[in-house]
Amino acid sequence: MRILVDMDGVIADFDTEFLQRWRHRHPDKFYVPVEQRTTFYVKDEYPEELKPLVAEILLESSFFRHMLPMPGAKEALEEMRAGGLEVFICTSPLTTYRNCVSEKYEWVEEYLGPAWVKQLILTKDKTLIKADFLIDDKPSITGAVVPPDWEHILYDRPYNRGPNKKRITWDNWRDILLAPSQV
Amino acid sequence: MRILVDMDGVIADFDTEFLQRWRHRHPDKFYVPVEQRTTFYVKDEYPEELKPLVAEILLESSFFRHMLPMPGAKEALEEMRAGGLEVFICTSPLTTYRNCVSEKYEWVEEYLGPAWVKQLILTKDKTLIKADFLIDDKPSITGAVVPPDWEHILYDRPYNRGPNKKRITWDNWRDILLAPSQV
């Protein structure tokens, strides 16, 4: 069984990193606590006049490298591999790729370890990748391959709550992925 | 029809870039002209005591960004897209990924144009990608998916000559890819 695991918001805590920088840089400005987020893209949560300041943080050097791992993520990935699953980290870099691309590799090396670097796949179109499951926090994932090979399992986040898909967290992943119907 | 196109040695002239730097840096040392190369990995062509100097060049800043495009490559890619083919650039970064990863993005932006950046796929395992053809200069391409979805078409280079596979260059690609049996 081959599993693709997304990076931002799934194994790397994008939202906390953003909010910490935002609050520190702009302590008097409007902000949205992570638990109150309702849109997938953080910039969609902020009014027009603040969007350039949001982008400034996402694009700055060290943003992608300094995120903390999501609690339980590394342990889940290691347990999956130890159990014989093929696990790849599948992430779409920002279109403004400077900083983001190399920092994603640095992040994986630092937080997951050097052996995971070769499991990293960077692609704007995740439907091209052959796998059984994709664990991703983005509500809808489309691309050139319709339908994709994989089944999308939504990684549960405040901004993607809804009834429509299988939902997973690093607390319940065994029940979802290793349920008898999946093996 | 979806085509994956490799980068080094196929659309970017890796070997000339290496040899220029090698000859400039070590004018009195052993070297192998591109036309006399017989191994896929350039370091395999050099004696043990010179391998660290080879690696030094491949890993240094600007090596991947400064390669020139292979003649005809950009025109071929543009013509494929204009003809309705889905074209993705599929490349495996060095394990020592610093410089290499971000410079591959920069190279694509500079030499092919910003629209091609989102067609870029970085993966150590190309068998995971769903496509009809993979154009690559590496003689044997293996990975987790056996057999891969794609048919491997060998991009003709001095170091990969042999009778075993369909061979392509940016001069004859139309005959190979657009032959009646392929469409």
Side-chain angles (χ1 to χ4, degrees), chain A residues 2 86 88 93 97-98 101 105-106 109 117-118 120-124 127-130 144-145 149, chain B residues 2 86 88 93 97-98 101 105-106 109 117-118 120-124 127-130 144-145 149:
Chain A
R2 187 178 313 122
E86 287 177 29
F88 291 87
Y97 59 82
R98 284 182 186 75
V101 161
Y105 278 77
E106 291 166 15
E109 182 170 17
V117 173
K118 62 176 182 297
L120 189 50
I121 303 170
L122 265 61
T123 177
K124 280 288 202 185
T127 71
L128 299 173
I129 318 295
K130 285 171 74 82
V145 179
D149 271 23
Chain B
R2 187 179 314 122
E86 285 177 31
F88 291 87
Y97 59 81
R98 283 180 187 76
V101 162
Y105 278 78
E106 292 167 13
E109 183 171 16
V117 173
K118 63 176 181 297
L120 189 50
I121 303 170
L122 266 61
T123 177
K124 279 288 201 186
T127 71
L128 299 173
I129 318 295
K130 285 171 75 81
V145 180
D149 272 22

Side-chain angles (χ1 to χ4, degrees), chain A residues 58-59 64 92-104 122 124, chain B residues 65 101-110 113-114 116-118 120:
Chain A
L58 302 184
L59 297 178
F64 280 89
S92 297
L94 296 183
T95 300
T96 307
Y97 59 82
R98 284 182 186 75
N99 303 322
C100 168
V101 161
S102 51
E103 291 187 13
K104 279 175 174 289
L122 265 61
K124 280 288 202 185
Chain B
R65 206 168 70 74
V101 162
S102 52
E103 290 187 12
K104 280 176 174 289
Y105 278 78
E106 292 167 13
W107 191 94
V108 167
E109 183 171 16
E110 177 170 348
W116 283 92
V117 173
K118 63 176 181 297
L120 189 50

Side-chain angles (χ1 to χ4, degrees), chain B residues 164-183:
Chain B
N164 53 334
K165 283 207 182 66
K166 241 178 236 177
R167 306 179 74 77
I168 202 170
T169 67
W170 298 129
D171 289 327
N172 76 0
W173 71 271
R174 284 180 211 82
D175 306 334
I176 306 280
L177 274 186
L178 308 179
S181 68
Q182 308 290 4
V183 192

Side-chain angles (χ1 to χ4, degrees), chain B residues 6 8 33 58 63 85 89 92 97 105 123 152 160 169 176 181:
Chain B
D6 175 40
D8 304 326
L58 302 183
F63 179 77
L85 306 189
I89 298 163
S92 296
Y97 59 81
Y105 278 78
T123 177
H152 178 195
N160 68 17
T169 67
I176 306 280
S181 68

